[in-house]
Structures are given as structure tokens and as C-alpha cells.
Amino acid sequence: GQQLNQSPQSMFIQEGEDVSMNCTSSSIFNTWLWYKQDPGEGPVLLIALYKAGELTSNGRLTAQFGITRKDSFLNISASIPSDVGIYFCAGQASGTYKYIFGTGTRLKVLA
Amino acid sequence: DAGVIQSPRHEVTEMGQEVTLRCKPISGHDYLFWYRQTMMRGLELLIYFNNNVPIDDSGMPEDRFSAKMPNASFSTLKIQPSEPRDSAVYFCASSFVDGGYTFGSGTRLTVV
């Protein structure tokens, strides 16, 4: 099925560092969501974006809805060990209620 | 709210057997989704329902897969007959019309 491209696929960072990841699509989306998945669990919603250019924060997390509506970005500031997991973006196109999920970014934090 | 509840958490079955996965969505949510997650293909939408009616089943791999939602508080995903390539984690999610999805903890299916 259709997927969004996320980068990087994986990253190792030191505790305290900032993290940036992005998601791109060939299609325009009306809504972007960012999820985090811990091992053995389902994805948990972190941030929802509804307008092009929108910048939204949730604690140390900040996400942006790209101006072109074909991309989105997630930043994590001052990473901590519990940030470890897989981060997924999801996009919703006009005229449909279903979301397409990205390929995921696997984050590992070194204490 | 207890969230989206899936059962069983783990299922191991032999090839050819019928498998039924169960989901209880969050009360009041209008939409219910079934996803499959594998390393190779990531999260794939199989089917989704709106007010208990199947809206889009284009992601269902083949006729061996079927899903039902007999009422607002229960859905099943059935695989008959199961094959080793069906091994994956199956997630159920639910949502309001204008909200993000809430996922269950998933069912890890292993077909041997």
C-alpha cells in the first residue's frame, strides 16, 4: 500500500541532544499526525496538525505542517532515555478519512 | 476509559487454521480501523468502518481475510485459512470523525 517516506530511518543520539526527523509525500495532505510506538504497544498520538505552516508543541516535542502540504517535521529537544521508540508520521488526504502511515524513524538514546 | 481493547495479545496457530482477532473500540467513537504491521511493509490499513458500516476494504490482502462490525462496541478480523505470511502484529484503532486515531495494544499473530 501507499506509504510516506520518513527520514532518517534510524538514529542514535546522546541524551540531551535535539532530534529532527521529517516525513515527505508526493501527495498533498490536509492533516498530519505524529505518533510514537513503544515496544510491544500500539502507536500513541503525540501531535496533530491541521493547517499548512502550523507549528504545534507538546512539551519537548514540536511539529510543523509544511507549507507545500507535502511534508511535515518533528523535533524533540533535550532528548531523554524514555524518548526511545519508533516515531511515525501519518497523513490524511482530501476526500478520505483514512490515514497513510510513514515508514517510521527508530530513535535510540544513549545515556 | 479503558482505551481500545484487543484480544488475544498473542496468537500462535498452525497453517490452515482459522484465526479470529477481536476489538472493542472506545465508546462513542464513530470510526474503527484494522491495521497490520510488519517489518517489511510497516503499518498497512486493511479496512475501516464508519458507524459499523465498512467504508474501505481495499487494503484487505485477499479473500482469506474478512472483517465485521456487528455493533458499535465490537469488531472482528478473521483469517481463514491462515498462512505463515500472515504473521504480523494486527492493530485495531478507533476515533471520532475529527480526531486522531487511538490504537489498541495489538495482537501478535504467528502462523507456523
Side-chain angles (χ1 to χ4, degrees):
Chain A
Q2 180 185 359
Q3 284 189 334
L4 304 175
N5 293 316
Q6 278 187 250
S7 65
Q9 283 189 321
S10 63
M11 53 195 315
F12 288 83
I13 61 169
Q14 293 286 338
E15 183 177 357
E17 288 184 351
D18 296 343
V19 175
S20 292
M21 60 189 78
N22 66 74
C23 193
T24 59
S25 169
S26 57
S27 305
I28 290 175
F29 288 114
N30 289 339
T31 304
W32 285 95
L33 306 176
W34 283 92
Y35 283 85
K36 182 194 177 198
Q37 185 177 24
D38 291 325
E41 297 296 329
V44 174
L45 182 64
L46 299 173
I47 292 178
L49 302 161
Y50 300 104
K51 290 171 54 178
E54 180 181 353
L55 190 70
T56 298
S57 294
N58 177 5
R60 294 178 295 105
L61 278 61
T62 301
Q64 185 164 21
F65 193 139
I67 292 293
T68 65
R69 297 169 61 193
K70 293 183 177 181
D71 53 13
S72 182
F73 310 89
L74 177 69
N75 295 310
I76 305 172
S77 63
S79 59
I80 59 178
S82 61
D83 291 334
V84 165
I86 305 175
Y87 292 80
F88 291 98
C89 62
Q92 182 189 54
S94 174
T96 178
Y97 189 66
K98 62 185 181 183
Y99 283 88
I100 304 300
F101 277 77
T103 49
T105 292
R106 188 179 298 271
L107 179 63
K108 298 187 179 182
V109 179
L110 306 174
Chain B
D1 199 317
V4 176
I5 300 173
Q6 290 187 246
S7 64
R9 285 298 308 267
H10 303 274
E11 176 81 38
V12 180
T13 190
E14 291 185 345
M15 182 174 61
Q17 295 297 307
E18 177 180 296
V19 176
T20 299
L21 312 181
R22 296 173 176 80
C23 175
K24 176 178 168 55
I26 290 174
S27 177
H29 278 187
D30 305 294
Y31 288 82
L32 183 140
F33 307 83
W34 282 100
Y35 279 85
R36 176 172 68 176
Q37 185 176 37
T38 62
M39 287 295 293
M40 291 296 294
R41 300 174 67 87
L43 273 163
E44 300 175 278
L45 177 64
L46 301 178
I47 184 171
Y48 78 93
F49 297 82
N50 176 217
N51 293 323
N52 314 338
V53 176
I55 302 300
D56 185 343
D57 65 355
S58 59
M60 295 286 262
E62 48 199 272
D63 292 345
R64 297 184 298 106
F65 286 69
S66 63
K68 294 182 179 180
M69 191 167 186
N71 57 63
S73 59
F74 184 65
S75 177
T76 60
L77 178 67
K78 185 177 294 186
I79 309 173
Q80 166 63 19
S82 57
E83 297 181 3
R85 61 193 168 116
D86 302 330
S87 297
V89 181
Y90 291 81
F91 287 104
C92 176
S94 69
S95 75
F96 292 115
V97 64
D98 58 353
Y101 302 174
T102 299
F103 282 82
S105 297
T107 295
R108 180 174 295 276
L109 174 65
T110 303
V111 183
V112 297

